[in-house]
């Protein structure tokens, strides 16, 4: 895959289960999503957002 924004997003949500994702991570994912290709957003981003939702800690 050549889509660096999507690769970075996958790395972010694939961190250790002990590392909860924050609002800062959400902002970063939104920025990366805007840079990702349309094809990547269709193919990979539903999973990325799902993984983010599972690991999100709103505190």
């Amino acid at each position: 895959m050549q889509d660096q924004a999507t690769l970075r997003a996958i790395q972010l949500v694939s961190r250790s289960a002990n590392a909860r994702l924050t609002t800062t991570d959400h902002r970063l994912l939104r920025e990366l999503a805007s840079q990702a290709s349309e094809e990547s957003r269709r193919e990979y981003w539903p999973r990325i957002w799902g993984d983010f939702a599972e690991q999100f800690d709103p505190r």
Side-chain angles (χ1 to χ4, degrees):
M1 174 192 316
Q2 297 298 322
D3 190 334
Q4 292 299 313
T6 299
L7 288 173
R8 286 186 58 205
I10 291 169
Q11 290 171 342
L12 178 66
V13 298
S14 297
R15 295 189 306 200
S16 159
N18 295 333
R20 303 299 290 173
L21 297 172
T22 65
T23 55
T24 301
D25 296 318
H26 182 257
R27 272 192 294 275
L28 177 56
L29 281 179
R30 284 190 5 225
E31 182 179 320
L32 291 171
S34 71
Q35 297 171 13
S37 70
E38 187 66 34
E39 181 181 338
S40 287
R41 282 195 299 262
R42 273 193 313 274
E43 190 170 338
Y44 299 103
W45 281 84
R47 174 69 187 264
I48 291 169
W49 286 119
D51 289 349
F52 171 80
E54 289 175 7
Q55 299 177 44
F56 180 63
D57 183 0
R59 290 181 270 154

